[in-house]
Amino acid sequence: MHQIVTQDGNSTIDRPGLLAPDTTGMNFYRADPALTDLLRIHLPDGLFRHIEPHLDRLGALAGHHLDECARLADRHGPVLHQRDRFGRDVQWIEYHPAYRELERTAFGEFGIHAMSIRKGILSWPDKYPVVAKHAFTFLFNQAEFGLGCPINVTDGCAKLLANFGSDALKDRYLDGLTQTDLEKLTQGGQFMTEKEGGSDVGTLTTRAVPEDDHFRLYGEKWFCSNADAKIVMLLARPEGAGSGTRGVGLFLMPRLLDDGAQNHYRIVRLKDKLGTRSMASGEIKLEGAIAYAVGRLDRGFVQMAEMVNSSRLSNGVKSTALMRRAYHDAMTVARNRVVFGRRIVELPLGRRQLMKIMLATEQAMSMSFLTADALDRAEAGSQEAAALLRILTPTLKFRATRDARKVCGDALEMRGGIGYVEEFATARLLRDAHLGSIWEGTGNIVALDAVRRAVGSHGAEAALGADLHARLDDSAKVPQAFRDQLRGLTDRAIAFAREVAARPQNEAEARRATSLLYHVASAVALAWEGGRIHDVRGDARRLLLSRLVIDHRLSAVDPFRLTENSSADAIAGLLLGDRPAGMAEIGEWLPAS
C-alpha cells in the first residue's frame, strides 16, 4: 500500500501500489533455474554441491546489498587527487565506501579473481575450472558491472605472469595478485590502448629502453581501466625493435618502487564515461617508468593475445549477466504491472517483447558455458578444444555484447518512463551494456578475428562443426527430424563462413557470418542442453528456445505474412511459465520435417 498526500497536504488515502516493483530482495541464483541446470551439466557433482551454497549467498547479496552498493558507487564515482594532505606530489584516487564494499565482496569474500589460479578459495582444495569461476562472475555482475574489469584484469595479470614470467618475477608479484586478504592484495591492470593504435596494436609508440635488469618506459596509454592498479601489464616497443606487432614486448610495471615511492608515471586525468562509472579509467603518461620484461621480447603481442581471448570470454559472460538482470527486471514488471485490466505478461505485445529478451539471454547463457567448457578442456591439453575455443571466443564476444545493448534497452522500455530514471537499475544496465561491444575489440575487429583469422588462417570452423555434430549425436532423445534440421544449418553456416573468409572482397560479410555461427551454435547447444536437462528432471523446454533461434535468427521471413499466433502463444506460455514440460509435450511444437 502507498500513502498518497493530496495537493493541500492535509488528507491521505491508501491505495494499492501504482508502480511495478523492482528486483530488490531477489536471490539471483534461486531465480535462475537455467544457471543451476547448466552447472549440473558442465561440472562434476561434488564440485557443484560445494559451490552451490556460495552461489546462493552471492545471489542473495547481488539482489540487495551489492545492488545498493553498485548504485551508490555509480553515482559517486572515483576522484583523482594530485597531492596528499601534506602537499606532496603523490597521486591517489578516492573511492566511495560502497565501491570498497564491492571490492571486499568480490576479491575478499569470494576471491573471484583468483579462483582459477590459486587453490583453497572458498575451501575448495584445488583450483576452480573456468565454468565454476564464471558462475560467480555471472552473479556478481548482475549487481555491479564496473568492478568486473578490475576482477578480470587482475586475473589476467596473474595468468600472464604465471605463464610467461621469470621465476624471480613470479616470486615477487604472483602471490599478491591472487590474494584474498585485502591487506596483501595487489590488484592488476592492463594498459594497452594508445592514441595511435587502439585495435591496431602494431602502431603503438610506447618505447622501452633497457637499463640494468629492467627497462624504462616512455609514452602515453590512452584508456587505462583500474588506473591505480598496483601491478600493470602493458605492451611497449623495445628500443631498436622492428615495426608491427612482432616488434612489441610485454612488460610488468609496478605502481610502487622498492622504496615505496610511486613509479615514474602519472595519471593525467580520469575518463568521464557513459557507463562503468564506479571504476577508474584514466590516461597515463609514462615518464621513465621502471618495468620488467615478461617472456620473450619478440613474443609480447602473442602472449597478450592469449589473455585477450580469456578476457573476451569474461566480457561475454558479463554481458550475459546484464541481460539476465534485465530479464529479471522485465519479468518483475510484467508479472506485477496491470494495464487495461490485465497483467503485462498476459498481453500479446508484452509477451512478444519478453520472448525477445529471453531468447537473446538464453542464447548467451548457452554460448558462455560452451566457451568456458572449451577453455577448461583446452587448458587440460585438448588440441581440439583449443581450436574450438579459437572460434567460439570472438563469436561469443561479437554477438552477446551486441545483444546486451538491445536487451537492456527493451527491459528499460518494459518499465516505461520510470525505467529511464537513474533510481532504477535499468538505466545503469543500459549504460554499462554499451561497453561490452567496445572492450577487447569493437564489433568489426572481433568479427574479422572470427572469420578472417579463426576461420581463414586457423581452420577453427572445422572444430566447431565437429563439436556441434557430436552434441547432436549425443542427443538421441531429441526428435530426429529436428536434429537433422540443426545438422543442415550447422553445415550451411560453416560453409558460409569459409566462403566469406576465402576472399578479401567478402570482408563486409564478416559480421553476418559471425552472427550465423553464433546462432547455429546456440541452437545446437540449446537442443543438447534440453535433452540433458530432460534426463535429469523431465524438462525439455530449452528445445523450444532452439526452435525460436531457427525461426527468428536463421530463417528468412516474409515481412508481409502474418505469423502463426497459436503456436507462438503456446510456446510463449510454456517458456514464460514455471511448469516443466517433457519431451513428448515439447515435441508437438518442433518441426516434423
Side-chain angles (χ1 to χ4, degrees):
M1 304 291 283
H2 289 269
Q3 190 176 58
I4 309 297
V5 181
T6 58
Q7 289 185 351
D8 62 12
N10 294 321
S11 59
T12 63
I13 56 174
D14 288 332
R15 294 180 58 189
L18 299 178
L19 297 179
D22 62 11
T23 58
T24 299
M26 180 180 288
N27 184 317
F28 291 153
Y29 178 71
R30 296 183 187 181
D32 194 350
L35 176 58
T36 302
D37 285 335
L38 295 183
L39 287 172
R40 286 190 180 277
I41 289 173
H42 288 282
L43 292 179
D45 183 62
L47 176 55
F48 169 75
R49 286 188 284 106
H50 177 81
I51 66 172
E52 186 172 38
H54 300 291
L55 293 172
D56 186 70
R57 170 164 168 74
L58 181 55
L61 287 170
H64 200 285
H65 177 61
L66 296 181
D67 192 46
E68 178 61 16
C69 289
R71 185 185 69 81
L72 289 170
D74 179 80
R75 181 167 294 184
H76 304 284
V79 178
L80 174 64
H81 296 276
Q82 299 293 347
R83 286 186 164 192
D84 68 10
R85 63 182 178 275
F86 298 106
R88 294 173 296 198
D89 291 329
V90 178
Q91 288 189 320
W92 60 286
I93 297 176
E94 179 183 1
Y95 295 92
H96 191 274
Y99 186 81
R100 295 302 191 192
E101 175 64 9
L102 292 165
E103 287 182 315
R104 185 200 65 77
T105 303
F107 288 101
E109 180 175 351
F110 290 95
I112 301 172
H113 67 297
M115 282 184 158
S116 58
I117 305 170
R118 191 182 190 110
K119 296 180 180 180
I121 303 294
L122 298 176
S123 301
W124 184 249
D126 205 346
K127 301 173 186 178
Y128 287 93
V130 177
V131 167
K133 177 186 75 173
H134 279 317
F136 289 90
T137 301
F138 177 70
L139 288 172
F140 183 85
N141 279 268
Q142 289 183 52
E144 163 62 10
F145 192 77
L147 188 63
C149 177
I151 296 168
N152 179 66
V153 293
T154 301
D155 181 5
C157 284
K159 285 182 178 176
L160 282 171
L161 184 57
N163 291 340
F164 305 112
S166 66
D167 290 340
L169 281 180
K170 285 188 278 192
D171 290 344
R172 190 173 182 181
Y173 295 112
L174 185 56
D175 181 69
L177 286 166
T178 62
Q179 276 285 345
T180 56
D181 182 341
L182 296 188
E183 295 298 319
K184 299 177 181 178
L185 171 68
T186 51
Q187 288 188 36
Q190 294 174 21
F191 298 174
M192 299 297 154
T193 306
E194 300 185 5
K195 296 176 188 176
E196 296 82 3
S199 298
D200 189 2
V201 177
T203 63
L204 68 78
T205 60
T206 298
R207 295 183 298 118
V209 180
E211 180 182 276
D212 299 328
D213 66 341
H214 57 265
F215 287 78
R216 294 273 186 174
L217 303 183
Y218 300 89
E220 289 190 43
K221 294 294 182 180
W222 179 238
F223 208 107
C224 305
S225 293
N226 211 18
D228 58 344
K230 296 295 178 62
I231 303 294
V232 174
M233 292 286 185
L234 71 170
L235 297 176
R237 196 176 305 280
E239 203 169 48
S243 61
T245 56
R246 292 185 179 180
V248 171
L250 177 65
F251 297 88
L252 182 152
M253 181 177 71
R255 178 66 172 149
L256 300 177
L257 301 175
D258 291 341
D259 61 1
Q262 289 187 357
N263 203 349
H264 305 289
Y265 68 92
R266 58 190 175 89
I267 306 169
V268 178
R269 64 171 179 170
L270 297 184
K271 299 286 194 183
D272 185 8
K273 297 173 293 182
L274 171 67
T276 63
R277 294 176 180 172
S278 62
M279 182 263 300
S281 299
E283 299 166 19
I284 306 295
K285 190 170 182 63
L286 303 163
E287 300 168 324
I290 291 175
Y292 305 92
V294 178
R296 286 171 43 185
L297 287 178
D298 62 346
R299 297 283 292 175
F301 176 76
V302 174
Q303 293 167 178
M304 180 53 68
E306 290 189 21
M307 217 66 271
V308 167
N309 267 336
S310 178
S311 185
R312 284 176 175 174
L313 165 58
S314 179
N315 190 350
V317 173
K318 291 174 174 65
S319 292
T320 306
L322 292 177
M323 286 191 267
R324 177 60 89 207
R325 174 64 188 278
Y327 171 77
H328 285 322
D329 195 79
M331 286 297 291
T332 301
V333 172
R335 285 173 171 166
N336 291 279
R337 176 76 166 152
V338 175
V339 294
F340 309 114
R342 298 169 69 188
R343 294 182 304 153
I344 291 175
V345 73
E346 299 167 352
L347 299 173
L349 285 176
R351 289 163 76 88
R352 185 177 181 86
Q353 190 162 336
L354 289 169
M355 291 302 299
K356 288 182 178 181
I357 292 170
M358 173 188 278
L359 182 60
T361 303
E362 298 299 341
Q363 282 185 273
M365 282 278 287
S366 296
M367 289 295 286
S368 292
F369 273 92
L370 205 66
T371 309
D373 178 69
L375 178 54
D376 279 326
R377 290 188 286 121
E379 291 186 342
S382 169
Q383 292 302 309
E384 294 81 4
L388 178 62
L389 181 69
R390 182 63 187 85
I391 192 167
L392 280 178
T393 304
T395 301
L396 168 69
K397 197 278 183 190
F398 172 76
R399 189 72 251 169
T401 59
R402 297 185 63 77
D403 284 348
R405 295 173 359 200
K406 181 68 165 62
V407 164
C408 291
D410 282 352
L412 182 153
E413 185 183 24
M414 185 67 71
R415 187 169 285 281
I418 199 69
Y420 192 67
V421 176
E422 295 285 353
E423 291 173 320
F424 287 87
T426 42
R428 187 175 80 244
L429 295 177
L430 182 59
R431 287 190 284 103
D432 287 348
H434 282 264
L435 174 63
S437 53
I438 299 172
W439 183 9
E440 301 293 11
T442 61
N444 289 342
I445 292 297
V446 178
L448 288 174
D449 184 44
V451 175
R452 193 166 65 186
R453 286 182 282 277
V455 175
S457 299
H458 298 284
E461 79 287 353
L464 177 61
D467 182 86
L468 298 181
H469 277 285
R471 291 182 191 276
L472 292 170
D473 290 341
D474 190 40
S475 304
K477 292 183 181 179
V478 174
Q480 183 68 48
F482 189 62
R483 283 189 288 151
D484 289 344
Q485 185 179 18
L486 288 169
R487 289 183 199 280
L489 290 168
T490 296
D491 294 341
R492 291 182 65 190
I494 288 174
F496 183 72
R498 285 172 173 159
E499 182 181 359
V500 173
R503 297 184 179 183
Q505 59 266 38
N506 294 338
E507 186 173 287
E509 296 282 9
R511 295 168 69 98
R512 186 157 67 101
T514 306
S515 287
L516 287 171
L517 290 173
Y518 179 88
H519 295 318
V520 165
S522 64
V524 172
L526 285 162
W528 175 76
E529 293 160 359
R532 287 295 189 92
I533 296 166
H534 181 264
D535 289 342
V536 173
R537 62 179 185 86
D539 190 358
R541 286 182 297 165
R542 287 186 87 75
L543 282 164
L544 295 178
L545 293 164
S546 180
R547 175 197 159 157
L548 292 179
V549 173
I550 296 173
D551 290 349
H552 297 286
R553 304 284 191 264
L554 296 169
S555 301
V557 178
D558 181 353
F560 298 103
R561 182 176 62 83
L562 290 173
T563 58
E564 185 195 348
N565 288 320
S566 59
S567 62
D569 287 346
I571 291 172
L574 286 166
L575 290 173
L576 293 174
D578 298 322
R579 178 180 65 83
M583 192 67 73
E585 181 179 3
I586 294 302
E588 296 179 10
W589 304 108
L590 298 180
S593 61

